[in-house]
Amino acid sequence: LLSTAPAKRPIMRQLATLLLASGASGHAALSFPRPRNAADGSLAPWTSWAYPCDMTHSGANCSISFCEHGHDCQGSCPIAARSGVKGALTASNGQACYWFSNGCTVGCARCDGSSNHVGHGSQRFLFKGMSAAALRARNLSIEDPFSPPPGALALNQTTAKSLAIAPNCADPKTAPTVCDPRLRTANTQAACGSKEDVYYYSPWRAPGAAPVIDACGMAGGRFPGQGVGGAGAQFQNSSVMRQGDAGSALPRGPPAAVWRAGDSPEVGWTVMANHGGGYAYRLGGPRP
């Protein structure tokens, strides 16, 4: 992804993060320097997209939405335009936020490519007994929804009747280890491992204990031949990449940046929505 000067060790000291909240699914990607899985951002329809809407950008060419059917995906992974215009976005990152591994749970040997939400997805929460609609009607907001006062946020049991929280393998070798509410970024007040703990088997609950399909993600998050799936397991095919391609097999391109020891490089990361969990920056070398 990145080129470094010979015999020099790259150092990252300053991280710039752009957060974009939308919908209920979650995808993220490096946005600066440009990652190699953003190659389709140089093609139409991504080159035709911009936000906000104007005289030359309308409809799907300025709408921020999730790609749910493998087409009209140009507004799915927008990033800052870096044009000096406040709030301006482009689609120059292509579908970089659609490279991931789907259906991977703590303690299992392999991902299944299909289990998007580890048994959950439609649940809702109550804040001091009030639904989101009730909060909006009263013009109330939660100061810190990820760290609410103890006992203030609870699972709405009427929305959780069909939940079946389980790993995607019969005999997981590792149990989730992260139970401290301070280390959990969503549904933090559920008792660890309880039926209300709907994120229990998600990878962040035991970092390093869940497998991946490919270290650099899969186009659309699934195995070749599985096609598009739900909850953002989508990808729009182009002349440079297709659904089911492995990120580690993408061809090398020209260096996106050159870093030298002692530099303070700028790095940007963009998230389309928040699933909860954590993230890390890593440098990946070329395949041997």
Side-chain angles (χ1 to χ4, degrees):
L1 292 178
L2 303 174
S3 173
T4 58
K8 300 287 186 178
R9 189 163 59 114
I11 299 175
M12 288 185 287
R13 290 183 179 176
Q14 296 176 352
L15 305 179
T17 303
L18 167 68
L19 301 181
L20 296 172
S22 174
S25 300
H27 296 268
L30 186 72
S31 55
F32 188 81
R34 190 187 190 204
R36 61 179 173 175
N37 60 7
D40 50 1
S42 298
L43 307 174
W46 296 277
T47 52
S48 302
W49 191 94
Y51 179 89
C53 301
D54 56 27
M55 294 295 292
T56 58
H57 302 91
S58 60
N61 285 332
C62 63
S63 299
I64 300 175
S65 61
F66 260 72
C67 169
E68 290 293 348
H69 306 289
H71 55 77
D72 296 328
C73 302
Q74 56 265 45
S76 296
C77 302
I79 63 171
R82 300 172 63 86
S83 62
V85 178
K86 184 177 181 179
L89 307 172
T90 75
S92 60
N93 229 33
Q95 296 176 96
C97 70
Y98 279 84
W99 294 77
F100 60 101
S101 295
N102 206 22
C104 311
T105 55
V106 170
C108 295
R110 72 187 299 269
C111 309
D112 64 21
S114 296
S115 300
N116 295 292
H117 286 300
V118 200
H120 67 276
S122 61
Q123 72 278 0
R124 297 292 182 268
F125 296 86
L126 299 174
F127 181 74
K128 296 183 178 179
M130 294 179 287
S131 67
L135 289 171
R136 286 192 293 267
R138 301 184 186 189
N139 197 28
L140 299 175
S141 60
I142 304 175
E143 182 175 347
D144 186 355
F146 296 106
S147 299
L153 195 65
L155 184 67
N156 184 345
Q157 294 294 341
T158 63
T159 69
K161 295 179 180 179
S162 63
L163 298 183
I165 309 306
N168 63 10
C169 62
D171 185 24
K173 304 303 181 184
T174 304
T177 57
V178 175
C179 285
D180 189 335
R182 295 172 298 177
L183 303 178
R184 293 155 51 189
T185 55
N187 195 28
T188 59
Q189 299 194 358
C192 187
S194 68
K195 64 179 182 179
E196 290 83 17
D197 190 3
V198 294
Y199 294 96
Y200 187 60
Y201 292 103
S202 297
W204 181 247
R205 299 298 294 274
V212 294
I213 301 175
D214 184 83
C216 296
M218 303 291 291
R222 312 186 82 194
F223 288 98
Q226 284 188 309
V228 298
Q234 315 285 329
F235 201 81
Q236 181 169 335
N237 294 336
S238 71
S239 61
V240 294
M241 48 190 60
R242 301 183 65 81
Q243 173 95 25
D245 284 351
S248 62
L250 287 172
R252 298 181 65 182
V258 176
W259 294 345
R260 297 181 181 276
D263 287 349
S264 296
E266 180 183 5
V267 177
W269 177 79
T270 303
V271 61
M272 184 65 172
N274 188 356
H275 269 324
Y279 61 91
Y281 285 92
R282 296 189 177 114
L283 290 174
R287 303 179 88 186

